[in-house]
Amino acid sequence: MSKRRVQSVDGEKELKEVSKQDDTDIPRGKGNSSLRPTQKPGSGASRQDVILGTIMGITLPLSLLAMWYITIPLLGYCTVSLLGAETVETLFYVKEDMMSYLTSECPLWIAAKERAYLENRSDQEIRRVTNITQQEFIDIVKQGEPIVISDALKDWESFGLFNCEYFMDKYPEAEYFDWQGQKQLTLGNITHREGFKGMDCASGYMDMNWESNDKYVKEWLSKMKLPYFYPEDTIMESAFNYIKGNKSPPMTGFLGVPGTGVSPHIDETCENFMTVQLSGVKNWSLSWPVREGDKLQWSKPLVVTLYPGEALMWYVSMRHHTEVIQDCSLSFSFTLKHPPPKDYYERLIQDFKRVEKTERDNLYIDTGVADIDFIDTCNLFETQGNVYIT
């Protein structure tokens, strides 16, 4: 106990005894704490924090690397061992197709398996040429070399005139087969397709044999002409002499918007193909059967971009796909019998003869060929000093 002098009410000072307690006995309110004060935010990390952060900074990247290069491959190996490589690959492609189906604006037109095939492309490139002579053209075709002639349409009235909008406005009664809706439509009704807005996902082909199109073919061909590099005196039953009276011109028109295309397939005919690009930009891939010992497989695809005014030459038994990448594409493909890809065709037939027929059949079946023996109907023949394929 201690005594203190305090002021009384009447002003006199008097001593009173005041109890003095230790600080430890003082009651503490909610705002006080007997715990050791913590560091203020921003006052710096403790030594333990620095050590922990350093350890995490080192071990986290190592853990991620171990997961990526060890754990995931190990899980993949175990999965393949349990299910088999083909099953795992199939499941992967199914997953990719489902994702494309859910995220793509247009209906799925190319399977993940085919997309993977296209990504494993050849390092080689398809040549582009200009001002080619007729003899140079004949020599290139004889080898069966796919080639782009960049100035093929330089004399065509249709180049710069024909495009999707022009055809839809000028020929609204002409018809095309809509791949998305799986039915024939007039060009005037493309923008009124059920389930689509305007030209969204529009993609299809125009058959010249349809009555609705036949009445326009002569007009279309009048604005085209035999390309300058083609030997004029050797054309036989081609589209370019249709206007002289031949029936059923061997040509097909194609129309499509960006994001649409045609998956890898084979046209089951023997003639040469010349595709001319009138508007829009389109990617192409081409491959053909190659023999490895007693096995047949498709060559790695050659990929090329075809621009307006260009023509692409390709040949019998060539697997191909197309994909529009810019603007609305309008193109026409012609089948021509001369000059023939003689050297390429003879190598192809020899390779087929050196393996079991089932090898060829399986190769074609895997690509969706309906008539797996169509190649047996192809022949080279000579008349008036010229060789043709038919």
Side-chain angles (χ1 to χ4, degrees), residues 167 175-176 187 205-208 210 213 252-254 330 332:
F167 257 57
E175 291 185 327
Y176 97 126
L187 296 184
Y205 68 90
M206 295 176 285
D207 192 320
M208 300 302 114
W210 297 338
N213 296 336
T252 307
F254 298 90
L330 180 67
F332 284 88

Side-chain angles (χ1 to χ4, degrees), residues 128-340:
R128 278 186 154 85
V129 298
T130 58
N131 296 318
I132 188 173
T133 67
Q134 292 184 355
Q135 188 58 52
E136 288 172 335
F137 175 72
I138 291 173
D139 293 341
I140 291 172
V141 173
K142 182 182 178 183
Q143 295 299 317
E145 177 189 354
I147 193 166
V148 173
I149 301 95
S150 294
D151 59 352
L153 311 187
K154 63 181 181 180
D155 298 325
W156 285 29
E157 181 184 348
S158 57
F159 178 45
L161 175 65
F162 286 1
N163 57 42
C164 299
E165 184 178 359
Y166 177 86
F167 257 57
M168 291 164 60
D169 291 342
K170 180 82 171 172
Y171 312 105
E173 295 181 0
E175 291 185 327
Y176 97 126
F177 183 84
D178 183 68
W179 276 315
Q180 314 297 0
Q182 288 293 296
K183 61 181 179 180
Q184 280 182 228
L185 294 173
T186 62
L187 296 184
N189 281 325
I190 289 181
T191 56
H192 302 292
R193 291 165 297 133
E194 184 178 355
F196 298 98
K197 181 180 179 181
M199 290 291 290
D200 289 352
C201 304
S203 180
Y205 68 90
M206 295 176 285
D207 192 320
M208 300 302 114
N209 294 317
W210 297 338
E211 185 178 351
S212 56
N213 296 336
D214 183 66
K215 58 185 177 182
Y216 298 120
V217 173
K218 286 186 178 182
E219 182 178 347
W220 296 343
L221 283 172
S222 69
K223 293 177 172 55
M224 305 177 189
K225 60 187 300 185
L226 188 68
Y228 72 90
F229 49 84
Y230 237 102
E232 189 168 355
D233 59 344
T234 61
I235 295 302
M236 186 175 183
E237 296 181 10
S238 74
F240 298 100
N241 61 16
Y242 169 80
I243 54 178
K244 299 177 183 178
N246 285 355
K247 297 289 185 180
S248 302
M251 60 183 282
T252 307
F254 298 90
L255 181 151
V257 299
T260 64
V262 183
S263 61
H265 66 285
I266 291 177
D267 288 356
E268 299 166 35
T269 59
C270 305
E271 292 82 8
N272 300 335
F273 297 90
M274 181 179 72
T275 298
V276 298
Q277 192 70 29
L278 289 161
S279 71
V281 181
K282 185 184 286 186
N283 276 347
W284 276 74
S285 73
L286 293 170
S287 58
W288 48 90
V290 292
R291 182 174 62 87
E292 296 289 342
D294 59 353
K295 300 293 183 181
L296 285 175
Q297 63 184 28
W298 293 109
S299 65
K300 287 188 175 182
L302 298 177
V303 178
V304 67
T305 301
L306 204 60
Y307 296 93
E310 294 186 321
L312 171 66
M313 290 296 302
W314 48 290
Y315 313 101
V316 59
S317 196
M318 285 196 172
R319 195 174 195 251
H320 58 285
H321 109 287
T322 64
E323 185 169 358
V324 182
I325 61 172
Q326 182 180 322
D327 302 327
C328 185
S329 169
L330 180 67
S331 61
F332 284 88
S333 286
F334 302 87
T335 56
L336 302 162
K337 300 178 185 297
H338 182 87

